[in-house]
Amino acid sequence: MERCIDDELPFEIPTTWIWVHLDNICTYIQRGKSPKYSSIQKYPVIAQKCNQWDGFSIDKAKFITPESLTSYAPERFLQDNDLMWNSTGLGTLGRIAIYKEALNPYELAVVDSHVTVIRPLKRYILSEYLYFYFSNPSVQSVIEEKADGTTKQKELATSTIKEYYVPIPPLEEQKRIIAKINEILLLIRQC
């Protein structure tokens, strides 16, 4: 017997769209691991401070010890257009950025245990669409309610992220939405 999820959905969507759990449209959703830091600047580890609302900054990254690289499974290495969602912290919880390989002058990068990597099915879901959805006020205003923990240390569990409902339009419509948002943001920046 199917259950009705209408009460769980935040708003109505067009009939050509579909509500899905994030886990159903991604190949990988996983929080990073605690790094062993090094002064050798070879393999950056992305932390909360690297993910700002104005974008991703590799300049704020620390580095892992080169010998600890073998403890990372290949899927833990960031890929172009992965989303990096801050999953813990007061004031940083919920900030999200898109990883761009072109902005990383190093061979590779990983994330620490305070950041969750979201890797969408790139043939069907555009990272920028998910970025705009998760950074919008309808999501950001309830992030703390979905988090566990105390006021001083809120945490967005990986299971909560995987179960998050996302409204998915057809791919061409995702492209139009992204283009329109970028057009509006450009106008706003010019003001």
Side-chain angles (χ1 to χ4, degrees), residues 21-100:
H21 285 123
L22 185 61
D23 195 33
N24 292 331
I25 57 169
C26 292
T27 60
Y28 182 79
I29 299 175
Q30 183 64 52
R31 185 175 284 187
K33 59 190 238 176
S34 295
K36 293 179 182 172
Y37 289 112
S38 170
S39 60
I40 300 169
Q41 296 186 0
K42 188 169 184 179
Y43 303 119
V45 58
I46 308 306
Q48 297 154 297
K49 63 185 173 184
C50 299
N51 297 333
Q52 300 293 324
W53 284 122
D54 59 352
F56 161 69
S57 174
I58 194 82
D59 298 337
K60 297 178 181 184
K62 290 184 178 180
F63 297 84
I64 59 170
T65 60
E67 57 274 6
S68 71
L69 190 63
T70 58
S71 71
Y72 288 82
E75 63 270 9
R76 285 194 176 269
F77 301 142
L78 285 169
Q79 296 178 12
D80 202 34
N81 292 315
D82 279 351
L83 292 159
M84 303 170 295
W85 202 359
N86 288 358
S87 304
T88 63
L90 185 61
T92 60
L93 182 71
R95 279 196 314 227
I96 191 166
I98 300 174
Y99 176 74
K100 296 291 185 183

Side-chain angles (χ1 to χ4, degrees), residues 11-19 167-170 173:
F11 51 85
E12 288 187 34
I13 57 176
T15 56
T16 57
W17 296 31
I18 186 169
W19 282 105
I168 301 297
E173 197 163 349

Side-chain angles (χ1 to χ4, degrees), residues 16 121-127 129 168-178:
T16 57
L121 292 162
K122 293 175 176 134
R123 285 183 60 191
Y124 307 105
I125 310 296
L126 300 174
S127 294
Y129 172 78
I168 301 297
L171 190 60
E172 290 305 311
E173 197 163 349
Q174 291 177 50
K175 291 176 185 176
R176 288 192 298 273
I177 290 167
I178 292 166

